[in-house]
Amino acid sequence: EESNKGKTVLLFAKANKVFGIISIFDKIKLGSGEAVKELNALGIKTVMITGDNKRSAEYVASRVGISEVIAEVMPGEKANVIKELSGNGKRVMMVGDGINDSVALTEAHVGVAIGRGTDVAIDSADVVLKSDSLAGVPGAIKLGRRTLLNIYENLFWAFIYNVVGIPLAAG
């Protein structure tokens, strides 16, 4: 029952006799639900990839609005999951903060490390968020999209300038 509430249950036993039970859980970071909602509004599909047990992961995902969960993934397998998700021409952004995420961060098209993550994750990422929250992810995507639009606009005007300017200069 505890795992249905997002907790991992540890049993301590000796000689087939249970002498202790502890349930632990990761606190959901403030702003995670809002960030996922904003990503969904931007048309971005969110997927949780975690080494946690499936029921705990599904509980956390349901709390923040993530519809797809890939749980019980060993650290070395995360990169393979990223490769699978990248199939069919899809672009994949991986957001992580730990040593277990470092290889997957490098495998993704864009790796994003949470600012207070491990040094290995930060070194493996393409983008490092300053805060310890997922709230910066939608902002980083919007900034990237605006920058790309600006580049396209500049290329368009440079092309038009050259199409008009070169014949005038030649004439």
Side-chain angles (χ1 to χ4, degrees):
E1 184 178 317
E2 290 293 297
S3 62
N4 290 332
K5 298 176 186 173
K7 298 178 183 179
T8 300
V9 179
L10 304 172
L11 300 173
F12 296 90
K14 185 175 182 180
N16 293 330
K17 183 178 180 182
V18 176
F19 62 88
I21 300 174
I22 297 176
S23 65
I24 57 174
F25 66 96
D26 290 326
K27 188 175 180 181
I28 297 173
K29 291 183 179 178
L30 193 63
S32 297
E34 292 82 5
V36 170
K37 184 177 180 182
E38 195 171 347
L39 288 169
N40 291 336
L42 290 170
I44 296 170
K45 179 181 178 182
T46 54
V47 178
M48 177 189 282
I49 305 170
T50 181
D52 293 341
N53 73 64
K54 186 173 175 126
R55 290 195 312 196
S56 296
E58 286 174 344
Y59 173 81
V60 171
S62 70
R63 298 288 304 247
V64 297
I66 297 174
S67 59
E68 186 175 344
V69 176
I70 302 171
E72 300 174 3
V73 179
M74 298 302 291
E77 296 171 356
K78 285 185 179 183
N80 293 332
V81 172
I82 295 296
K83 283 180 188 175
E84 288 175 26
L85 293 172
S86 297
N88 301 325
K90 294 180 183 172
R91 312 274 302 152
V92 175
M93 173 187 279
M94 166 73 181
V95 180
D97 65 353
I99 293 171
N100 296 340
D101 299 324
S102 60
V103 176
L105 287 168
T106 60
E107 188 62 42
H109 291 99
V110 179
V112 179
I114 302 296
R116 294 190 184 147
T118 63
D119 289 341
V120 175
I122 290 170
D123 290 342
S124 301
D126 301 304
V127 176
V128 178
L129 298 177
K130 203 171 172 184
S131 70
D132 191 29
S133 166
L134 294 176
V137 174
I141 290 170
K142 289 176 184 175
L143 178 62
R145 286 180 175 176
R146 280 189 299 244
T147 301
L148 195 55
L149 178 63
N150 194 334
I151 290 169
Y152 289 147
E153 288 173 348
N154 288 339
L155 287 171
F156 171 78
W157 288 113
F159 179 75
I160 295 297
Y161 177 80
N162 284 320
V163 165
V164 172
I166 291 174
L168 285 175

